Amino acid sequence: MHTFSYKNGTLYCENTPLCDIAEAVGTPTYVYSKQTILDHFKGLQQALSPLDSEVSYAVKACSNLAILNLMAREGAGFDIVSGGELWRVVQAGGDPRRCTYAGVGKTPEEIRYALEQEIYCFNVESEAELRAIDEIAGSMGIKAPVAVRVNPNIEAGTHKYITTGKSENKFGVDFDRIEALYALIDEQMPNLEIKGLQMHIGSQLTQVKPFIEAVAKVAPLAARLKERYGIRFFSIGGGIGIVYDGALASGSPDWWEHNHQLTIDAYADSLVPLLQPLGLRILVEPGRVIVGNAGVMLTQCLYEKKGDAKTFKIVDAGMNDLIRPALYEGHHEIWPLQQHDDQDTVVADIVGPICESGDFLAQNRTVADVQQGEYLAVFSAGAYGFSMSSNYNSRPMAAEVLVDGSNWTVIRSRQSLEDLVRGEIIPE
Ligand SMILES: *Cc1c(COP(=O)(O)O)cnc(C)c1O
């Protein structure tokens, strides 16, 4: 579900015409729907309510302070992957004691900072990292809460760059080595407190089957670790996929029911019965499913160029603003902010201004034949959109806006030219 729809040919987010925002703030601009974000968050919380559960929002999907603050006020936990993300959560009013910290390359400074902030748990990805945390906690005279990330070697059926639960991926510890590692912590690492078990098999999963396989494989391990070491939680990670193709239609409840996509309810209905008997606290770490379809990126058509082979619509947003098409072959629906009765469609490549052939938002796509100056919305851009943007080609980063009904707020202003060179120094 989301709240982007046409009323009399004008595209709205909730009760706000998107062209009002484009004209006031300029483009490219990310726009998020508060109602959609809250619907998704509460829906997942509700679906998992038969369990002792916690929804830990994966900060990296969309890490604007206003979004984190919204989550914090709903009582979310946070799944973080860097010291910077922890700092953001704290700035946003989130509780560090509800943060879980994942990632294969935590630095000593980051580990110390997380210990000072008394985070809920480190989700640890190797023996070497366990030893580092043990040593740092020891030097601070405290115990560090840890869970090990198990790699269950399950095929997630998603793009190879976002598959994380196979043995050849860099993530987690092989399933067969896990119990020996917990024994090692217990025997040799006095400054660690064994607190849980974690896994995360990948992102943008559109079937429930890999989740079921992974939970079915790992739950008995969690039960054994509970018995032996008294672990208190089992985190099953994030990864619930969203609808990209047909994103506009997916705003209607009927569409969801009639299309066999992975829904929050299907996910919960399959997993709750497998998890309930464990008697453990269950954490989920969703990112994309909370914010993905809650955000669009607005862009303006600058030029049209007709070549022998193709028609290009050149727009003012590039791969530095939204890298998913280039990096993951991601599909994003693209719709005009204003429909006209006499508007034709055209098969075109929607491309940005960046000097790379990989700089496209869509290829060979049937889109509205928008003319110079007209605006487009790139759908499903709320997750891994702004948060993956960069200054490549010395382009200032886009603005971000949060819509609440017919009100809207700029939650991050567009970068200035001064921002582009901040911190740079010409030697004497
Ligand atoms: C990225 C990530 C998530 C969130 O994944 P989504 O597909 O956005 O739900 C959760 N847990 C970990 C450890 C991650 O790295």
Side-chain angles (χ1 to χ4, degrees), residues 58 60 79 102 149 198 200 202-204 238-240 285-288 384:
K60 72 179 185 289
D79 191 64
R149 175 169 177 173
Q198 195 261 355
H200 171 68
S203 195
Q204 182 52 18
I240 304 171
E285 306 162 359
R288 192 186 311 266
Y384 308 104

Side-chain angles (χ1 to χ4, degrees), residues 5 21 29 36 54 64 101 140 184 205 226 233 243 248 253 268 293 320 337 351-352 374 389 397 402:
S5 61
I21 297 174
T29 291
T36 308
E54 165 125 320
N64 185 289
Y101 186 176
M140 294 169 72
L184 201 67
L205 274 69
K226 181 186 178 199
F233 78 89
V243 175
L248 183 59
N293 281 337
N320 72 299
L337 296 201
V351 301
E374 289 189 279
S389 67
M397 285 187 202
L402 183 63

Side-chain angles (χ1 to χ4, degrees), residues 101-112:
Y101 186 176
V104 296
K106 304 174 187 83
T107 65
E109 292 75 25
E110 288 177 313
I111 292 167
R112 204 166 295 121

Side-chain angles (χ1 to χ4, degrees), residues 4 18 29-30 39 61 68 74 77 97 123 145 169 203 264 278 280 294 299 306 321 328 360 382 389 396 401:
F4 296 91
L18 285 167
T29 291
Y30 278 87
D39 275 359
L68 300 182
E74 286 304 310
R97 286 165 305 182
N123 291 335
N169 301 134
S203 195
I264 284 173
L278 288 172
L280 285 167
T299 183
K306 281 197 159 78
D321 300 299
Y328 307 122
F360 55 84
S389 67
V401 166

Side-chain angles (χ1 to χ4, degrees), residues 102-106 123-130 147-153 163-178 181-182 197-202 221:
V104 296
K106 304 174 187 83
N123 291 335
V124 180
E125 310 234 9
S126 64
E127 182 184 329
E129 185 193 332
L130 282 168
V148 178
R149 175 169 177 173
V150 54
N151 184 327
N153 196 22
T163 292
T164 57
K166 290 283 287 172
S167 301
E168 61 264 33
N169 301 134
K170 70 179 176 184
F171 298 101
V173 172
D174 289 338
F175 185 83
D176 298 334
R177 296 169 190 255
I178 285 282
L181 192 55
Y182 275 81
L197 177 68
Q198 195 261 355
M199 69 175 181
H200 171 68
I201 59 173
L221 171 66

